[in-house]
Amino acid sequence: MWVILANSGGGPSDSQTAAPATPALPPPLPPPGIELSGWKLSLPEANDDGDAASIEPATFTAPWMTPTPDGGLMFWAPTSGATTKNSDHPRTELQSLTYFNAGSGVHVLNASLTLLQLPQDGQGMILGQIHGAGDISSVPYVMLRVQDNRLRVVVKQIGKGSKLINYPLLDNVGLNSPLNYTITDRGDGSMTFSATYDGQTRQTTAPVPAKFVGKTVRFQAGAYQQADDPGGPQDGGRVIFHRLAQETSNP
């Protein structure tokens, strides 16, 4: 049975680069509009403990996440701000309240968005993740990252350390034009990533890293900017998500 819920860091120091992605047709997106009841919102402002605050369930929170006329959401994450305990980068990001076991059942995150701003230092922004939950809640292992006009998927191979593989998707990705992406855990030990921009679609497949098979995980999406050199109060990542939905099918 399918459950449809509308709309929830890494530096390659020891990385490998996979073969270029091959063309493929993207799966259909759900109808426009983003439902927030299935998500928690992480904010770049401090809570009473000095860590990044969160709101559960997610709700509009100016200036970090605000509605747009088309039923979407605008996310703003400055380069200076509060961070979560295990990250050096402020974010405004939705975290799914629906958990699943990596490599078990089919789980899909679909998104349609428009990039408006990226950090000045060129480190880019993460737009979607499969992130650990439960006993690996500090570990993101799939990160869809836009940087230097390129869109790639970074897949960590271990819980700690920098062993990872970069899977390229698209080149020449810029601002102010629609971008669609899909992240799929196929439930058979493999994952599929696809993206469409400026009439060009690419898809690539990767195995679920052995370290994470069977682990409790969740989807995340939003503006997780990756700047290492903050450029002032107006520097950061800004993106509009027009559509965001996850589909889950347990075995």
Side-chain angles (χ1 to χ4, degrees):
M1 180 178 71
W2 287 90
V3 178
I4 300 178
L5 298 175
N7 222 15
S8 195
S13 64
D14 184 17
S15 62
Q16 305 170 16
T17 299
T22 55
L25 293 176
L29 282 167
I34 298 173
E35 170 59 51
L36 292 175
S37 62
W39 303 84
K40 178 172 74 172
L41 178 63
S42 180
L43 301 172
E45 60 183 24
N47 60 20
D48 292 340
D49 297 325
D51 298 318
S54 62
I55 299 174
E56 182 180 339
T59 188
F60 304 139
T61 307
W64 315 123
M65 188 182 75
T66 53
T68 62
D70 69 347
L73 296 170
M74 181 182 292
F75 293 79
W76 160 239
T79 56
S80 298
T83 67
T84 58
K85 291 181 180 180
N86 297 290
S87 176
D88 296 326
H89 303 107
R91 72 181 88 188
T92 301
E93 190 179 40
L94 291 169
Q95 302 177 8
S96 176
L97 299 175
T98 298
Y99 295 172
F100 61 92
N101 295 327
S104 179
V106 180
H107 310 280
V108 185
L109 180 67
N110 279 316
S112 176
L113 59 92
T114 300
L115 288 169
L116 301 180
Q117 179 182 346
L118 293 171
Q120 296 174 12
D121 72 351
Q123 292 302 308
M125 185 158 60
I126 292 171
L127 302 170
Q129 302 187 67
I130 302 179
H131 197 289
D135 61 353
I136 59 165
S137 60
S138 65
V139 182
Y141 72 95
V142 173
M143 293 160 282
L144 184 77
R145 184 169 182 170
V146 59
Q147 183 182 11
D148 296 328
N149 298 114
R150 295 184 176 91
L151 187 71
R152 72 183 192 274
V153 183
V154 181
V155 181
K156 293 189 69 173
Q157 302 298 298
I158 55 178
K160 295 183 179 180
S162 57
K163 185 178 181 181
L164 54 87
I165 299 176
N166 286 301
Y167 292 88
L169 276 178
L170 292 170
D171 294 330
N172 303 313
V173 175
L175 303 180
N176 304 313
S177 295
L179 168 67
N180 297 338
Y181 75 73
T182 301
I183 298 172
T184 303
D185 183 327
R186 297 169 59 90
D188 60 0
S190 68
M191 302 177 291
T192 299
F193 316 115
S194 65
T196 299
Y197 180 82
D198 195 25
Q200 187 177 40
T201 297
R202 292 290 183 268
Q203 177 174 296
T204 191
T205 299
V208 177
K211 174 70 177 180
F212 300 103
V213 171
K215 294 293 186 179
T216 303
V217 298
R218 64 177 181 255
F219 288 123
Q220 298 187 185
Y224 184 17
Q225 61 77 34
Q226 296 292 293
D228 293 325
D229 184 16
Q234 301 306 312
D235 185 25
R238 195 183 306 267
V239 59
I240 295 175
F241 275 76
H242 307 288
R243 289 179 284 179
L244 181 63
Q246 65 175 346
E247 301 173 355
T248 64
S249 176
N250 294 316

